[in-house]
């Protein structure tokens, strides 16, 4: 192993999520000015939860933590996270169709990519209608009066949709998606694998595609399967490909666990208690 490349991989893996926090700050700028430190802390705590808890619980936890620390309505925090996922999905699909021309991808992931594409289109249409239609149009369409929290959500979505920051966030999402390739490329160089840079890019896209479905903590199992099969698609034999999948998983996962643990310690948060509190808060919101 060339350890200088490993150091660059770790730093870039941790640092790229600061871009995530900046994008979140821009999305919420029309609604409330939230400090970058609070957003970054929520992002890293959410990553820690995703790496240590099943079913991607970190998405719920980071939204709840931000709502708790900033006073932002929980429904709006959830909505901003959904917008983030749609922006990421747009770039993911563009990258996925590029990868289709690089080689024969695993069939299950190709089907998943097409399903994701349809889902993104439907969610984008629903979200766009909610952003630009307003409460009166929704009441006319569905013929019912919405609860107060939903009216607040729609009004805040309209503010986000009419803000130039939404388009800035879309551009940042593109850089965020591409820069996530750097740590993978660095680990490939550190391991001395004779594969082109497109292998790192394809690996990133397929790992993100497989990670959409809630599964084991740190995507353990599917991560190794996707990584090994991608490298074999680019001509690497099975043995080295499987060994590399374990190395890559460790380099991309362990630093995020450490940083997330530090973020939890700085706030004095108990993750199990925070998870229960977030779940209860979401259930109470549904009952209102």
């Amino acid at each position: 192993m060339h350890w200088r490349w490993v150091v660059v991989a770790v730093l870039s893996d941790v640092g790229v999520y600061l871009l995530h926090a900046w994008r979140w700050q821009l999305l919420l700028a029309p609604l409330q000015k939230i400090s970058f430190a609070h957003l970054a802390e929520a992002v890293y705590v959410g990553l820690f939860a995703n790496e240590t808890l099943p079913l991607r619980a970190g998405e719920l936890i980071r939204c709840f933590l931000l709502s708790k620390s900033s006073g932002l309505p929980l429904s709006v925090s959830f909505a901003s996270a959904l917008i983030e996922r749609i922006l990421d999905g747009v770039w993911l699909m563009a990258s996925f169709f590029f990868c289709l021309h690089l080689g024969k991808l695993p069939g299950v992931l190709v089907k998943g990519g097409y399903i994701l594409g349809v889902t993104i289109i439907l969610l984008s249409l629903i979200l766009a209608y909610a952003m630009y239609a307003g409460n009166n149009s929704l009441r006319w369409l569905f013929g019912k009066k919405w609860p107060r929290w939903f009216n607040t959500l729609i009004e805040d979505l309209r503010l986000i949709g009419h803000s130039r920051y939404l388009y800035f966030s879309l551009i940042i999402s593109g850089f965020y998606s591409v820069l996530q390739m750097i740590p993978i490329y660095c680990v490939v160089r550190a391991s001395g694998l004779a594969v082109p840079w497109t292998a790192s890019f394809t690996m990133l896209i397929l790992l993100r595609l497989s990670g959409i479905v809630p599964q084991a903590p740190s995507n353990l199992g599917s991560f190794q399967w996707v990584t090994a099969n991608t490298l074999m698609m680019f001509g690497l034999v099975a043995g080295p490909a499987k060994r590399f999948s374990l190395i890559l998983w460790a380099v991309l996962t362990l630093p995020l666990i450490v940083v997330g643990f530090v973020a939890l310690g700085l706030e004095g948060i108990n993750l199990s208690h925070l998870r229960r509190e977030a779940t209860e808060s979401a259930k109470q919101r549904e009952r209102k």
Side-chain angles (χ1 to χ4, degrees):
M1 294 288 289
H2 301 282
W3 291 104
R4 283 181 294 181
W5 282 107
V6 175
V7 171
V8 176
V10 170
L11 294 177
S12 58
D13 181 43
V14 172
V16 73
Y17 291 100
L18 296 175
L19 204 59
H20 184 174
W22 183 34
R23 179 186 63 181
W24 204 6
Q25 186 180 43
L26 288 177
L27 275 176
L28 295 172
L31 310 179
Q32 185 175 328
K33 187 175 181 180
I34 302 175
S35 73
F36 179 79
H38 279 151
L39 289 158
E41 181 182 81
V43 167
Y44 284 117
V45 170
L47 288 168
F48 176 82
N50 281 339
E51 304 297 356
T52 56
L53 298 174
L55 305 178
R56 297 188 64 83
E59 295 299 314
L60 170 64
I61 288 174
R62 75 177 174 101
C63 292
F64 176 76
L65 183 60
L66 179 65
S67 178
K68 187 176 180 180
S69 63
S70 66
L72 189 74
L74 184 59
S75 58
V76 177
S77 183
F78 284 147
S80 65
L82 176 61
I83 294 172
E84 284 183 331
R85 290 295 161 252
I86 292 176
L87 296 179
D88 286 338
V90 169
W91 288 104
L92 180 58
M93 289 312 303
S95 303
F96 170 73
F97 287 117
F98 172 76
C99 291
L100 285 177
H101 299 285
L102 298 179
K104 187 176 181 181
L105 305 182
V108 64
L109 294 180
V110 172
K111 292 178 182 177
Y114 286 122
I115 293 172
L116 175 63
V118 174
T119 304
I120 289 171
I121 292 173
L122 292 176
L123 287 176
S124 299
L125 291 174
I126 293 171
L127 194 60
Y129 186 80
M131 283 180 169
Y132 296 104
N135 291 337
N136 293 332
S137 297
L138 289 171
R139 192 177 299 117
W140 174 83
L141 180 63
F142 294 100
K144 61 184 293 187
K145 185 177 180 180
W146 299 100
R148 182 182 299 176
W149 68 266
F150 187 82
N151 292 330
T152 302
L153 171 62
I154 295 301
E155 289 300 323
D156 288 341
L157 283 176
R158 289 188 67 196
L159 288 174
I160 293 175
H162 288 82
S163 169
R164 67 183 185 277
Y165 293 114
L166 177 64
Y167 307 102
F168 292 159
S169 299
L170 177 61
I171 295 171
I172 292 173
S173 296
F175 287 105
Y176 174 62
S177 298
V178 173
L179 290 176
Q180 286 180 318
M181 184 188 77
I182 293 177
I184 297 177
Y185 176 77
C186 289
V187 179
V188 170
R189 292 296 303 270
S191 302
L193 301 183
V195 292
W197 70 268
T198 50
S200 301
F201 183 77
T202 304
M203 216 180 303
L204 167 66
I205 301 308
L206 296 185
L207 284 171
R208 291 185 63 194
L209 189 60
S210 65
I212 292 173
V213 180
Q215 49 192 289
S218 307
N219 296 334
L220 191 62
S222 67
F223 186 103
Q224 284 74 24
W225 184 85
V226 170
T227 301
N229 278 272
T230 303
L231 288 174
M232 287 188 283
M233 185 182 81
F234 282 88
L236 202 65
V237 295
K242 291 177 180 178
R243 287 194 294 272
F244 176 83
S245 71
L246 295 172
I247 295 171
L248 182 65
W249 179 86
V251 173
L252 298 188
T253 303
L254 298 181
L256 295 180
I257 292 177
V258 172
V259 173
F261 183 77
V262 171
L264 280 171
L266 291 175
E267 278 294 306
I269 298 171
N270 182 286
L271 185 60
S272 299
H273 175 72
L274 184 63
R275 184 189 185 189
R276 286 196 302 269
E277 198 174 350
T279 304
E280 282 300 317
S281 181
K283 289 179 179 177
Q284 290 174 9
R285 179 67 64 184
E286 288 177 359
R287 289 195 291 264
K288 290 181 180 180

